[in-house]
Amino acid sequence: MYQLDITLRRGQNLAARDRGGTSDPYVKFKLGGKEVFRSKTIHKNLNPVWEEKTCILIDNPREPLYIKVFDYDFGLQDDFIGSAFLNLASLELNRQTDVTLSLKDPHYPDHNLGTILLSVLLAPREEQREVFQTQSLRLSDLHRKSQLWRGIVSITLIEGRELKAMDANGLSDPYVKFRLGHQKYKSKIMPKTLNPQWREQFDFHLYEERGGIIDITVWDKDAGKKDDFIGRCQVDLSTLSKEQTHKLELPLEEGEGCLVLLVTLTASAAVTISDLSVNSLEDPKEREEILKRYSPMRMFHNMKDVGFLQVKVIRAEALMAADVTGKSDPFCVVELNNDRLLTHTVYKNLNPEWNKIFTFNVKDIHSVLEVTVYDEDRDRSADFLGKVAIPLLSIQNGEQKAYVLKNKQLTGPTKGVIYLEIDVIFNAVKASVRTLMPKEQKYIEEENRLSKQLLLRNFIRMKRCVMVLINAAYYINSCFDWDSPPRSLAAFLLFLFVVWNFELYMIPLALLLLLAWNYFLIISGKDNRQHDTVVEDMLEDEEEEDDRDDKDSEKKGFMDKLYAIQEVCVSVQNILDEVASFGERIKNTFNWTVPFLSWLAIVALCVFTVILYFIPLRYIVLVWGINKFTKKLRSPYAIDNNELLDFLSRVPSDVQVVQYHELKQDPSHSPSKRKKNNPG
């Protein structure tokens, strides 16, 4: 093993790729066909200064380092500026060398595209060689993701002040991007304002003892063209004291105005990786301590610490062969929201045994545990072998189960099963309170892209929700038209009785009765809920299209140039998804799809019914208004939220119900028929 320390110094006289005669350059390093480093983007500069350092582990110094420079174009495919090779075998060991590389384009070898200046140091890495042979050798940020984080930085984006006007109307539509190493977060867009109020909170993991630097850029959203750069700033975490909230007012460089943030550094949560011999829940003292931590007596202590999750990743069987040798090099990725841990790689084996235990702190009991199996390839990106998604509320503690691996869209089986044993311990009161707070967003989610199958699926889901309302309207109208005299007579008498005796508390009472009616139907065996095969079929069709898109993603098509149309279509696609999901979540609440949430709804409706029955409406409105008017005075930096929408966000939509549905093992299942579900 060798360690290559590189300092990316600067670029000189780079080629202009934008219409303004400039470029927005960034640099990629590739080794063995795999990206191992990407620099930050320097905007509107042909002589950029990066001064960025990276460390790369190398097992074959005869393999050259491929350096590519691109011009960043928001929403379009980035323009290629030039590339160069660094011959590592020519470097003298243990000696820092300054290197100047001329950029070339293979299609235009005579063009002068500028130069890149580097400082490199190649040194042998002798310690613990045997460890690296048994561990995965994925480079750069995958190396970092496999480590345990040393702490957590909680960031609250409060507001912006006096930002630069970028639009013709003298205003901007600002949003903010954060980056800490491989972790990224993008805020929501605040339309037509120079003093935006975001009130967003998110967490990053700290992997380095000294903290690291958070890069922050502010942008103005422009529909149909490239977004405008407003300014940038940085937060050096090494200068901040831990276990303390810091209010930061950061002036924007290369722009106007400032951002206001709250930043808190805390020690790492209880996240561990260990062998099966080290089991917290099998140690009576540790188990008692964990049960005590989440007992009802401590329901108001540390409301963010909802529960404890332990995942035993034992083994997998009959995995798909991803290599030409008929074998695979499988490793396992365990994810809970933004917490992501990896097992070691078992080489040349279709029946690997990992025997690892992962523990996580649970911040939201409605989270979904995702376990994904990949095949490691040193010369290219890892191949997908299978995946399972397990809602925490569906876990049966202490039971070792064989989960059938699914395809990328989680709609159908792929080859192989994985054996897991999962335990979750949580405080029900904390979990209920957390349900009414904003849901944690995943900052590594893929960007939404235009898909005709996805657009069609969301349209059909939306249509089904609308048809429920239309059919209900037809039913009511048929009562008015006396199409069925007995039904119309019963409806008329019910109408007179309800209107004459109506009180406000009857609204939550009616919803309560509907929930109770569906519950008794389910326990009596008259469950009218049906498995949604329509959504499942549409998801499988969409996956086939995704496979085709993956193969063609490197091609520069006509759609890449129609960014404005694509953005509008993606917006329509997402709006349809949100509206359809909203209707499906209401239905699934009353259908007892997640019993915990339905019971929570029953408790809330009972409370509302009692309050409305005993307390006059004017007092309720008075308390509500006083709370709303004084909220900002009592807590200036409170994050706005709607408890009802936060509750519904935890209820799965019909698509998620299909994705989380556990498949049964089918011995007669032919993996060859599902090979299309396993794109590399």
Side-chain angles (χ1 to χ4, degrees):
M1 295 291 294
Y2 292 84
Q3 179 173 311
L4 179 65
D5 295 313
I6 304 180
T7 302
L8 174 61
R9 298 291 186 192
R10 60 186 182 275
Q12 291 182 343
N13 302 320
L14 300 184
R17 292 290 186 252
D18 295 338
R19 284 178 294 181
T22 62
S23 290
D24 303 316
Y26 67 89
V27 181
K28 287 183 179 181
F29 294 164
K30 285 192 172 185
L31 192 66
K34 186 179 297 184
E35 182 179 321
V36 295
F37 171 78
R38 173 172 171 162
S39 75
K40 64 184 179 183
T41 303
I42 305 295
H43 296 275
K44 299 180 180 179
N45 200 326
L46 299 182
N47 296 282
V49 177
W50 283 285
E51 293 296 338
E52 292 188 52
K53 296 181 179 180
T54 186
C55 175
I56 303 171
L57 297 180
I58 294 172
D59 56 354
N60 182 11
R62 290 185 293 276
E63 191 170 28
L65 181 71
Y66 189 26
I67 300 165
K68 300 177 77 173
V69 185
F70 292 89
D71 166 54
Y72 174 77
D73 284 328
F74 183 83
L76 303 175
Q77 185 165 321
D78 295 345
D79 296 320
F80 176 69
I81 293 179
S83 63
F85 286 95
L86 175 62
N87 184 6
L88 302 182
S90 65
L91 298 177
E92 185 177 342
L93 292 179
N94 298 310
R95 179 179 178 182
Q96 184 155 325
T97 308
D98 293 329
V99 180
T100 300
L101 300 173
S102 298
L103 299 178
K104 297 294 182 183
D105 186 339
H107 299 290
Y108 306 98
D110 298 331
H111 287 195
N112 182 13
L113 304 175
T115 56
I116 292 291
L117 281 71
L118 310 171
S119 292
V120 295
L121 172 64
L122 183 64
R125 186 182 176 96
E126 299 296 339
E127 67 271 14
Q128 295 182 344
R129 179 176 177 84
E130 68 277 6
V131 174
F132 285 104
Q133 290 176 342
T134 58
Q135 297 282 330
S136 166
L137 295 179
R138 295 172 299 283
L139 300 177
S140 189
D141 61 352
L142 277 184
H143 250 312
R144 177 170 292 182
K145 289 176 188 177
S146 69
Q147 299 171 3
L148 293 177
W149 43 95
R150 300 173 182 271
I152 294 174
V153 52
S154 297
I155 302 171
T156 304
L157 173 60
I158 302 296
E159 62 186 5
R161 297 175 183 170
E162 300 178 357
L163 301 183
K164 186 176 181 180
M166 306 302 292
D167 297 336
N169 58 8
L171 299 172
S172 292
D173 305 311
Y175 65 92
V176 185
K177 291 182 177 181
F178 295 81
R179 178 177 174 181
L180 176 62
H182 67 275
Q183 304 168 94
K184 298 177 183 178
Y185 179 83
K186 179 181 175 182
S187 77
K188 60 188 176 186
I189 300 167
M190 304 301 293
K192 299 180 181 179
T193 179
L194 300 181
N195 297 281
Q197 300 283 324
W198 281 286
R199 301 291 199 273
E200 295 184 47
Q201 193 276 331
F202 59 96
D203 295 339
F204 280 158
H205 294 146
L206 289 175
Y207 292 92
E208 301 176 13
E209 193 70 50
R210 60 181 181 274
I213 294 177
I214 301 176
D215 292 310
I216 306 170
T217 53
V218 186
W219 300 82
D220 167 54
K221 181 68 176 177
D222 284 330
K225 59 180 181 178
K226 181 179 175 182
D227 292 353
D228 297 320
F229 175 74
I230 294 179
R232 72 168 66 248
C233 56
Q234 289 184 332
V235 177
D236 187 352
L237 299 178
S238 63
T239 63
L240 303 180
S241 56
K242 295 184 177 180
E243 309 299 337
Q244 181 180 347
T245 299
H246 304 268
K247 181 184 177 183
L248 306 178
E249 296 185 11
L250 305 172
L252 295 180
E253 303 172 9
E254 306 174 36
E256 301 173 5
C258 68
L259 294 180
V260 180
L261 310 176
L262 298 181
V263 181
T264 307
L265 276 68
T266 58
S268 177
V271 180
T272 63
I273 304 177
S274 60
D275 294 322
L276 284 181
S277 58
V278 184
N279 189 340
S280 300
L281 294 180
E282 289 182 1
D283 185 333
K285 290 185 178 180
E286 287 196 44
R287 184 179 182 87
E288 183 180 349
E289 184 65 30
I290 292 170
L291 290 173
K292 183 180 177 181
R293 192 196 316 169
Y294 300 109
S295 68
M297 301 300 294
R298 295 173 63 87
M299 65 178 71
F300 299 113
H301 178 75
N302 191 3
M303 296 299 292
K304 291 185 178 180
D305 186 13
V306 171
F308 172 86
L309 175 69
Q310 177 178 281
V311 184
K312 292 183 183 177
V313 182
I314 300 169
R315 67 184 189 278
E317 291 181 354
L319 296 179
M320 181 171 289
D323 298 337
V324 293
T325 59
K327 299 288 185 179
S328 291
D329 303 321
F331 67 94
C332 200
V333 180
V334 184
E335 295 179 86
L336 184 70
N337 291 332
N338 291 312
D339 296 347
R340 175 188 172 101
L341 299 174
L342 284 74
T343 68
H344 60 279
T345 301
V346 179
Y347 292 98
K348 302 186 185 306
N349 201 323
L350 299 180
N351 300 285
E353 292 191 10
W354 292 289
N355 292 322
K356 292 293 182 184
I357 297 179
F358 301 87
T359 65
F360 298 89
N361 260 64
V362 177
K363 294 181 279 187
D364 188 348
I365 197 59
H366 309 288
S367 301
V368 177
L369 176 71
E370 295 183 359
V371 182
T372 312
V373 183
Y374 292 96
D375 168 66
E376 180 188 310
D377 281 321
R378 296 194 190 187
D379 57 341
R380 55 193 177 95
S381 60
D383 294 326
F384 175 85
L385 296 180
K387 180 178 183 179
V388 291
I390 309 164
L392 297 189
L393 284 172
S394 69
I395 290 171
Q396 297 174 340
N397 284 354
E399 180 182 341
Q400 185 181 134
K401 294 182 68 174
Y403 292 88
V404 177
L405 292 173
K406 294 185 178 182
N407 52 43
K408 281 187 175 180
Q409 296 297 327
L410 296 169
T411 56
T414 185
K415 191 178 180 186
V417 295
I418 186 168
Y419 288 83
L420 306 173
E421 183 179 326
I422 311 173
D423 291 88
V424 61
I425 299 171
F426 67 97
N427 184 294
V429 176
K430 289 183 182 181
S432 301
V433 173
R434 184 68 181 84
T435 303
L436 305 178
M437 297 180 181
K439 190 176 181 181
E440 182 181 5
Q441 299 297 319
K442 290 191 73 170
Y443 50 68
I444 57 172
E445 283 185 324
E446 295 182 357
E447 290 285 333
N448 291 318
R449 61 180 179 181
L450 183 61
S451 163
K452 63 181 181 182
Q453 288 292 343
L454 182 58
L455 189 62
L456 177 62
R457 184 194 81 188
N458 292 342
F459 176 77
I460 293 175
R461 291 170 60 209
M462 175 77 173
K463 180 182 175 183
R464 293 168 69 191
C465 293
V466 171
M467 287 305 297
V468 171
L469 300 177
I470 292 175
N471 290 334
Y474 279 140
Y475 184 85
I476 294 172
N477 194 57
S478 69
C479 293
F480 295 151
D481 293 340
W482 292 82
D483 292 342
S484 173
R487 186 178 65 196
S488 296
L489 180 60
F492 180 60
L493 294 176
L494 180 64
F495 169 76
L496 293 177
F497 176 79
V498 170
V499 172
W500 185 257
N501 297 283
F502 179 76
E503 297 289 345
L504 200 59
Y505 71 85
M506 293 181 180
I507 296 176
L509 183 60
L511 297 175
L512 187 61
L513 292 175
L514 180 59
L515 270 168
W517 173 255
N518 282 338
Y519 177 73
F520 287 120
L521 284 178
I522 293 170
I523 63 174
S524 63
K526 299 178 180 178
D527 186 4
N528 57 358
R529 296 176 298 177
Q530 297 178 350
H531 187 60
D532 205 334
T533 56
V534 177
V535 173
E536 186 172 342
D537 290 342
M538 286 190 292
L539 279 167
E540 290 186 349
D541 291 340
E542 178 194 332
E543 186 206 352
E544 291 179 10
E545 183 185 90
D546 283 346
D547 294 348
R548 292 192 296 270
D549 289 344
D550 289 340
K551 294 175 184 176
D552 298 336
S553 60
E554 299 298 325
K555 298 179 181 178
K556 203 169 185 179
F558 181 66
M559 282 299 295
D560 291 334
K561 299 300 183 182
L562 296 179
Y563 172 61
I565 298 175
Q566 178 174 332
E567 185 182 33
V568 172
C569 291
V570 169
S571 299
V572 172
Q573 176 178 285
N574 294 340
I575 290 171
L576 289 174
D577 177 57
E578 289 177 8
V579 176
S581 295
F582 183 79
E584 292 166 356
R585 288 184 169 118
I586 294 175
K587 177 199 71 174
N588 290 335
T589 301
F590 288 95
N591 277 353
W592 292 79
T593 302
V594 182
F596 181 91
L597 290 171
S598 297
W599 280 116
L600 185 60
I602 281 183
V603 172
L605 290 172
C606 287
V607 172
F608 292 152
T609 301
V610 172
I611 290 175
L612 290 171
Y613 184 80
F614 287 104
I615 302 177
L617 182 61
R618 66 174 68 88
Y619 293 129
I620 298 173
V621 175
L622 188 64
V623 171
W624 174 83
I626 291 173
N627 174 64
K628 284 294 185 182
F629 276 105
T630 61
K631 188 174 182 180
K632 293 297 181 187
L633 300 177
R634 290 181 282 112
S635 182
Y637 302 124
I639 297 175
D640 296 328
N641 71 302
N642 183 297
E643 288 79 4
L644 179 60
L645 295 180
D646 290 334
F647 171 86
L648 288 175
S649 70
R650 270 49 174 223
V651 182
S653 65
D654 287 351
V655 171
Q656 291 171 322
V657 169
V658 172
Q659 292 175 334
Y660 302 157
H661 177 68
E662 185 179 337
L663 298 178
K664 303 298 181 183
Q665 276 188 268
D666 182 5
S668 63
H669 177 72
S670 173
S672 61
K673 295 180 181 178
R674 284 283 174 179
K675 206 162 186 178
K676 66 183 179 68
N677 292 325
N678 184 40

